[in-house]
Short mmCIF file of all heavy atoms in Angstrom, two decimals:
data_model
loop_
_atom_site.label_atom_id
_atom_site.label_comp_id
_atom_site.label_asym_id
_atom_site.label_seq_id
_atom_site.Cartn_x
_atom_site.Cartn_y
_atom_site.Cartn_z
N LEU A 194 -20.38 13.55 4.94
CA LEU A 194 -19.88 12.58 3.97
C LEU A 194 -21.07 11.81 3.38
O LEU A 194 -22.14 11.71 3.98
CB LEU A 194 -18.92 11.60 4.65
CG LEU A 194 -17.64 12.18 5.25
CD1 LEU A 194 -16.74 11.05 5.76
CD2 LEU A 194 -16.88 13.04 4.24
N SER A 195 -20.86 11.26 2.19
CA SER A 195 -21.93 10.51 1.54
C SER A 195 -22.23 9.25 2.37
O SER A 195 -21.35 8.72 3.05
CB SER A 195 -21.51 10.12 0.13
OG SER A 195 -20.48 9.14 0.17
N PRO A 196 -23.45 8.74 2.32
CA PRO A 196 -23.79 7.53 3.08
C PRO A 196 -22.89 6.35 2.74
O PRO A 196 -22.53 5.57 3.63
CB PRO A 196 -25.25 7.26 2.66
CG PRO A 196 -25.78 8.60 2.27
CD PRO A 196 -24.63 9.33 1.65
N GLU A 197 -22.52 6.21 1.47
CA GLU A 197 -21.67 5.10 1.05
C GLU A 197 -20.28 5.20 1.67
O GLU A 197 -19.74 4.22 2.21
CB GLU A 197 -21.57 5.05 -0.47
CG GLU A 197 -22.87 4.79 -1.21
CD GLU A 197 -23.74 6.04 -1.32
OE1 GLU A 197 -23.23 7.15 -1.04
OE2 GLU A 197 -24.93 5.90 -1.67
N THR A 198 -19.68 6.39 1.60
CA THR A 198 -18.33 6.58 2.14
C THR A 198 -18.33 6.48 3.67
O THR A 198 -17.44 5.88 4.27
CB THR A 198 -17.77 7.95 1.71
OG1 THR A 198 -17.70 7.99 0.28
CG2 THR A 198 -16.38 8.18 2.28
N ALA A 199 -19.38 7.04 4.29
CA ALA A 199 -19.48 6.94 5.74
C ALA A 199 -19.62 5.48 6.17
O ALA A 199 -19.05 5.06 7.19
CB ALA A 199 -20.68 7.74 6.24
N SER A 200 -20.33 4.70 5.40
CA SER A 200 -20.50 3.27 5.72
C SER A 200 -19.18 2.53 5.62
O SER A 200 -18.87 1.68 6.47
CB SER A 200 -21.51 2.63 4.76
OG SER A 200 -22.80 3.17 4.95
N VAL A 201 -18.40 2.82 4.58
CA VAL A 201 -17.10 2.16 4.41
C VAL A 201 -16.19 2.45 5.60
O VAL A 201 -15.57 1.55 6.18
CB VAL A 201 -16.43 2.60 3.09
CG1 VAL A 201 -14.98 2.08 3.04
CG2 VAL A 201 -17.21 2.10 1.89
N ILE A 202 -16.13 3.73 6.00
CA ILE A 202 -15.27 4.11 7.13
C ILE A 202 -15.76 3.44 8.42
O ILE A 202 -14.95 2.92 9.21
CB ILE A 202 -15.24 5.65 7.29
CG1 ILE A 202 -14.54 6.28 6.09
CG2 ILE A 202 -14.53 6.04 8.59
CD1 ILE A 202 -14.56 7.80 6.08
N ALA A 203 -17.06 3.42 8.63
CA ALA A 203 -17.61 2.79 9.84
C ALA A 203 -17.33 1.29 9.86
O ALA A 203 -17.02 0.72 10.91
CB ALA A 203 -19.11 3.06 9.92
N HIS A 204 -17.43 0.64 8.69
CA HIS A 204 -17.12 -0.79 8.61
C HIS A 204 -15.65 -1.05 8.97
O HIS A 204 -15.33 -2.00 9.69
CB HIS A 204 -17.37 -1.30 7.19
CG HIS A 204 -18.78 -1.73 6.94
ND1 HIS A 204 -19.42 -2.68 7.70
CD2 HIS A 204 -19.68 -1.34 5.99
CE1 HIS A 204 -20.65 -2.86 7.26
NE2 HIS A 204 -20.85 -2.06 6.21
N LEU A 205 -14.76 -0.22 8.45
CA LEU A 205 -13.32 -0.44 8.64
C LEU A 205 -12.84 -0.10 10.04
O LEU A 205 -11.77 -0.55 10.46
CB LEU A 205 -12.52 0.39 7.61
CG LEU A 205 -12.63 -0.05 6.16
CD1 LEU A 205 -11.97 0.98 5.24
CD2 LEU A 205 -11.98 -1.42 5.95
N THR A 206 -13.60 0.68 10.78
CA THR A 206 -13.13 1.16 12.08
C THR A 206 -13.89 0.57 13.26
O THR A 206 -13.59 0.89 14.41
CB THR A 206 -13.20 2.70 12.16
OG1 THR A 206 -14.55 3.11 11.91
CG2 THR A 206 -12.27 3.34 11.15
N THR A 207 -14.88 -0.30 13.00
CA THR A 207 -15.60 -0.95 14.09
C THR A 207 -15.49 -2.47 13.95
O THR A 207 -15.17 -2.98 12.87
CB THR A 207 -17.09 -0.55 14.10
OG1 THR A 207 -17.70 -0.94 12.85
CG2 THR A 207 -17.27 0.94 14.30
#
Side-chain angles (χ1 to χ4, degrees):
L194 298 185
S195 70
E197 296 79 13
T198 300
S200 294
V201 171
I202 293 175
H204 273 304
L205 291 171
T206 57
T207 60

